[in-house]
Amino acid sequence: MLDKTTSILADLIAFQTVSADSNLEMIDYIAGHLDACGASVQQFRDPSGRKANLFATLGPQCDGGIVLSGHTDVVPVSDQQWATDPFKMVARDGRLYGRGCCDMKGFIAATLAMAPTFAQAVRDRPLHFAFTYDEEVGCIGAGHLARSLGEMGLRPGVAIIGEPTGMRIIEGHKGCYEYTTRFQGLEGHGSAPDQGVNAVEYAARYVALLLELKDQLRAMAPPGSRFDPPWTTVNVGAMSGGTVHNVIAPMAQVRWEMRPVQRSDADFVKGRLHRYCRDELLPRMQAVFPDAAIETEVVGEVDGLVPSLENEARAILAELTGRNAADVVPFGTEAGIFQSLGMDVVICGPGSIEQAHKADEYVSAAQLGQCLAMLGKLAAKLGQ
């Protein structure tokens, strides 16, 4: 089964599904594999028609099924120094190299390799495959899939998200809220600052408040928080604006994110920023230039995965892997979206997050073997 998985993984890596590009060829490839196993396969295109989610079912069309989920998109390879072609899998010293090997085409390949076994095993409880687009740029595809499942009236009971965890069971992670805030000012000569509205200056004031809030959030960590760090974090990823030293900058933008431990922290940050813009920044800007504006684009607001006392997915994975402990992680996934639909959710997949997004990304053959062993036990469980 490992050889079959490796062969499928090589095919998947060859699909250059960087988030900026289409994933349709890979979705069609996956659909072909699952259709050949007798699965009921549906594709849901995005508004552009260039990308799609896939949702497939083995077994009865009923509630309470188990979902195996992964995202099809990968991060870019530009500005990375790879030893080999990132879109051509290379096997070396027990490792399989290529963009997406661990994040997360390795897991997808393992599920496809096991699909014929699942098809023979499934009885009364359905097994679903959910493969999404644009996870890397705000979990857009998973949000679309959630709406599609709602329209279908289907309520699976359990979801296993195959992100790279070293096959550890992960029951919780922080949310990921990403924004771009844009400032519209008024251009002018640098020698007459009162006759213009310097968008860069107002963006700097905005960032200064973000940094204040970043420090305040440290004291707001929930008691007993298991995250590292235990508080909600804020990061200013990029700031741009202006052209030359003697021109008042008419435009600026700030790209920033926060990773909330709890939704109330996100509400606190957004509320403070809204009031600051409404009561202080905008009045000063518009006193000079009435059309001055501050607008924030929501790139993505993905809730975290909240640990729960009762979690069937955790119990199933403990049985399948022999691991009794479940951890939390700081990085984000689509898991919170599945949890919001009422499913019990865990994250468990082959490879290490330390390899994800980096040059010479790899997954070990041993990790794929462990994943296949887990999926084999799942098939046996479905056949009981």
Side-chain angles (χ1 to χ4, degrees):
M1 191 64 71
L2 182 58
D3 288 344
K4 182 178 180 181
T5 302
T6 301
S7 176
I8 293 173
L9 179 56
D11 291 341
L12 296 181
I13 290 170
F15 295 113
Q16 299 188 26
T17 53
V18 174
S19 299
D21 301 323
S22 174
N23 73 336
L24 294 182
E25 289 187 1
M26 179 171 165
I27 288 292
D28 287 341
Y29 173 93
I30 293 172
H33 270 267
L34 295 176
D35 183 70
C37 298
S40 170
V41 182
Q42 299 181 74
Q43 295 186 33
F44 303 97
R45 296 284 183 99
D46 79 332
S48 75
R50 297 178 60 248
K51 299 179 182 181
N53 293 318
L54 180 145
F55 189 80
T57 301
L58 289 169
Q61 292 283 353
C62 63
D63 292 343
I66 297 174
V67 177
L68 301 176
S69 179
H71 62 81
T72 62
D73 61 316
V74 298
V75 297
V77 298
S78 55
D79 300 323
Q80 291 185 339
Q81 297 298 316
W82 283 70
T84 58
D85 182 345
F87 296 107
K88 184 176 181 180
M89 194 189 75
V90 173
R92 185 173 65 250
D93 300 327
R95 295 175 176 176
L96 306 171
Y97 292 86
R99 173 54 84 222
C101 262
C102 72
D103 186 21
M104 53 184 304
K105 293 181 177 181
F107 177 77
I108 295 174
T111 64
L112 295 181
M114 287 293 300
T117 303
F118 286 133
Q120 294 296 319
V122 169
R123 296 290 183 269
D124 298 327
R125 188 173 197 178
L127 180 71
H128 307 290
F129 302 81
F131 300 126
T132 61
Y133 65 88
D134 283 359
E135 186 270 352
E136 300 288 4
V137 290
C139 297
I140 297 169
H144 177 195
L145 181 62
R147 294 190 294 274
S148 299
L149 293 179
E151 292 168 0
M152 294 164 59
L154 187 64
R155 296 178 60 86
V158 165
I160 300 168
I161 315 297
E163 291 275 7
T165 68
M167 295 304 297
R168 292 182 302 138
I169 302 170
I170 303 301
E171 64 176 347
H173 65 69
K174 296 181 182 180
C176 183
Y177 287 28
E178 299 176 306
Y179 306 94
T180 299
T181 301
R182 298 184 176 89
F183 299 78
Q184 173 67 61
L186 177 64
E187 190 175 43
H189 196 282
S191 64
D194 292 342
Q195 296 180 21
V197 177
N198 194 316
V200 168
E201 291 183 5
Y202 284 95
R205 291 186 175 98
Y206 187 89
V207 168
L209 178 57
L210 273 174
L211 297 180
E212 289 181 22
L213 296 173
K214 176 180 180 178
D215 290 338
Q216 292 177 30
L217 288 165
R218 287 175 173 262
M220 296 170 60
S225 173
R226 295 161 60 193
F227 293 106
D228 182 18
W231 54 80
T232 293
T233 59
V234 170
N235 180 62
V236 178
M239 181 176 175
S240 60
T243 53
V244 294
H245 64 281
N246 60 352
V247 175
I248 296 172
M251 303 285 291
Q253 70 175 15
V254 178
R255 299 178 185 272
W256 61 281
E257 67 156 26
M258 58 179 158
R259 304 279 176 143
V261 173
Q262 51 196 357
R263 185 176 291 183
S264 59
D265 289 349
D267 293 340
F268 165 73
V269 171
K270 291 192 291 184
R272 284 289 306 278
L273 289 169
H274 173 73
R275 291 191 296 273
Y276 183 55
C277 291
R278 181 194 63 196
D279 299 338
E280 298 188 41
L281 296 187
L282 275 173
R284 294 176 63 178
M285 296 169 71
Q286 292 175 346
V288 179
F289 179 49
D291 290 334
I294 302 173
E295 296 181 350
T296 294
E297 174 192 356
V298 178
V299 178
E301 290 185 334
V302 182
D303 287 333
L305 175 62
V306 181
S308 58
L309 292 176
E310 299 295 329
N311 186 331
E312 186 189 4
R314 183 182 60 213
I316 289 174
L317 264 293
E319 176 186 346
L320 300 181
T321 65
R323 297 174 180 264
N324 293 320
D327 302 319
V328 299
V329 291
F331 61 84
T333 76
E334 298 169 327
I337 295 174
F338 287 92
Q339 188 177 54
S340 72
L341 295 175
M343 301 182 211
D344 288 348
V345 185
V346 291
I347 307 160
C348 183
S352 168
I353 198 66
E354 295 300 321
Q355 308 305 323
H357 298 190
K358 296 181 179 179
D360 299 326
E361 177 184 348
Y362 70 84
V363 65
S364 72
Q367 281 279 298
L368 282 181
Q370 290 180 38
C371 182
L372 288 168
M374 181 269 285
L375 294 174
K377 292 179 180 178
L378 176 61
K381 183 177 181 65
L382 289 168
Q384 294 176 352

